[in-house]
Amino acid sequence: MKIEGFEPIFGEPKAEWADSRSDSLGRFLFHVSAPDSSHLLIQVTDFRSNTWEAKRSVLQLDDMRDEIGIGGSWSEFIDYVVASIKSEDVKLILEGHSNADGAAYAKIVAQKSKGMPRISISLTRLTGSAATEAMAKLSLELFTAFRSMQTLIVQEQERCLQLEKEAAAEKERNENIQNQPLYSKRQKLQKMNFSDKTDISASILSNGSQDSPDKQAAQSPVASKVANRVIPAHRRAKVRGALLQDTEDDKDN
């Protein structure tokens, strides 16, 4: 059994007295981490006079699993513990008074949801340099988590900005592609209209030349017959004025 891939957990428990006394309690922060694959460390403090700690080995956690009555595999149990600690129903129960300022006993109680098994871990009070060291460690871990989260947010913002730029460029390319066929079609229609007009003009000119009076007269059947008709010789002579003496036919007459 090992604790692997455990991400540190920070939270604010609901602090209350076990005997429901009315003494006011300040705000607490807790930090749950796995310093190695064999232990789970829980630290709770109000950064004043109440600092608590609990360190549980995998064997102790496995015994707690049997006491609570949670079945399933080891990984499923650890997942349940994490889900319970991350829930909104995490309480810090304080009890008694110590010689110093603060409570004598404390425990963390967490429950994934109502009706589910309850995780309860007793805490040991820290004083002096041990308390100071625990508060310093929790503060540094909290700052480290904050910086990590801040870095992730900046990276996500940069990624979103890059995606927006790529989306804008893609949109511009699509608009250009969509406008290109319309432009080509418009140019093609203009060319077709110009070609049609040219053909119509040429047809009109051609028909006009074919239907001219001179050509119609030349192609008329009547005109062809008149042009091909043979003119009598005596009429040809009179017309031309080339024959000065009478022909034999005229003498007989």
Side-chain angles (χ1 to χ4, degrees):
M1 294 181 297
K2 292 182 179 181
I3 302 175
E4 298 178 334
F6 191 93
E7 294 293 333
I9 303 172
F10 294 91
E12 182 179 5
K14 299 175 182 177
E16 59 184 48
W17 291 103
D19 54 6
S20 302
R21 72 183 69 172
S22 60
D23 295 355
S24 62
L25 292 170
R27 298 177 66 178
F28 286 79
L29 287 179
F30 70 80
H31 175 225
V32 182
S33 62
D36 54 57
S37 61
S38 301
H39 295 86
L40 195 67
L41 179 64
I42 302 172
Q43 293 177 321
V44 185
T45 183
D46 63 356
F47 296 96
R48 291 192 297 272
S49 56
N50 286 285
T51 300
W52 308 85
E53 182 180 274
K55 193 172 184 179
R56 296 288 185 271
S57 66
V58 292
L59 294 177
Q60 290 173 318
L61 291 172
D62 194 42
D63 290 339
M64 185 178 67
R65 177 173 61 154
D66 293 336
E67 292 172 3
I68 297 172
I70 298 178
S73 64
W74 167 256
S75 60
E76 290 174 340
F77 168 68
I78 294 298
D79 290 341
Y80 181 80
V81 171
V82 171
S84 298
I85 295 173
K86 286 184 176 180
S87 70
E88 296 181 357
D89 191 19
V90 179
K91 295 180 180 180
L92 175 65
I93 308 298
L94 301 174
E95 186 178 359
H97 281 284
S98 64
N99 295 330
D101 187 19
Y105 310 100
K107 62 181 177 181
I108 279 283
V109 178
Q111 190 176 21
K112 182 177 180 180
S113 60
K114 290 183 178 180
M116 299 290 288
R118 182 175 295 180
I119 304 293
S120 179
I121 299 176
S122 298
L123 303 170
T124 301
R125 180 183 175 87
L126 299 178
T127 59
S129 60
T132 302
E133 185 178 350
M135 287 187 283
K137 183 178 183 299
L138 193 152
S139 299
L140 289 174
E141 291 289 343
L142 185 61
F143 178 73
T144 300
F146 167 75
R147 288 295 298 272
S148 178
M149 184 64 67
Q150 188 179 45
T151 300
L152 291 175
I153 291 173
V154 171
Q155 291 176 350
E156 185 66 19
Q157 289 175 341
E158 292 176 351
R159 191 179 73 86
C160 291
L161 183 60
Q162 183 64 29
L163 290 175
E164 288 177 359
K165 290 180 179 179
E166 292 176 0
E170 184 67 22
K171 182 180 179 181
E172 185 177 355
R173 283 195 295 267
N174 290 336
E175 289 177 352
N176 292 336
I177 293 173
Q178 290 175 359
N179 292 334
Q180 227 172 11
L182 296 176
Y183 176 78
S184 301
K185 187 175 182 180
R186 191 180 300 113
Q187 292 284 37
K188 186 175 180 181
L189 289 174
Q190 290 176 353
K191 289 180 180 179
M192 290 175 63
N193 291 336
F194 178 79
S195 177
D196 292 344
K197 290 179 181 178
T198 303
D199 293 342
I200 292 172
S201 300
S203 177
I204 291 173
L205 292 174
S206 175
N207 292 336
S209 62
Q210 290 178 359
D211 297 338
S212 62
D214 294 340
K215 196 163 185 180
Q216 287 180 353
Q219 293 181 352
S220 175
V222 177
S224 298
K225 290 181 180 180
V226 171
N228 295 332
R229 187 174 62 182
V230 179
I231 301 174
H234 64 278
R235 294 190 63 183
R236 288 201 303 272
K238 290 180 180 179
V239 171
R240 294 179 182 178
L243 198 60
L244 299 177
Q245 57 183 3
D246 295 335
T247 63
E248 293 182 356
D249 291 338
D250 294 335
K251 288 180 180 183
D252 294 339
N253 293 330

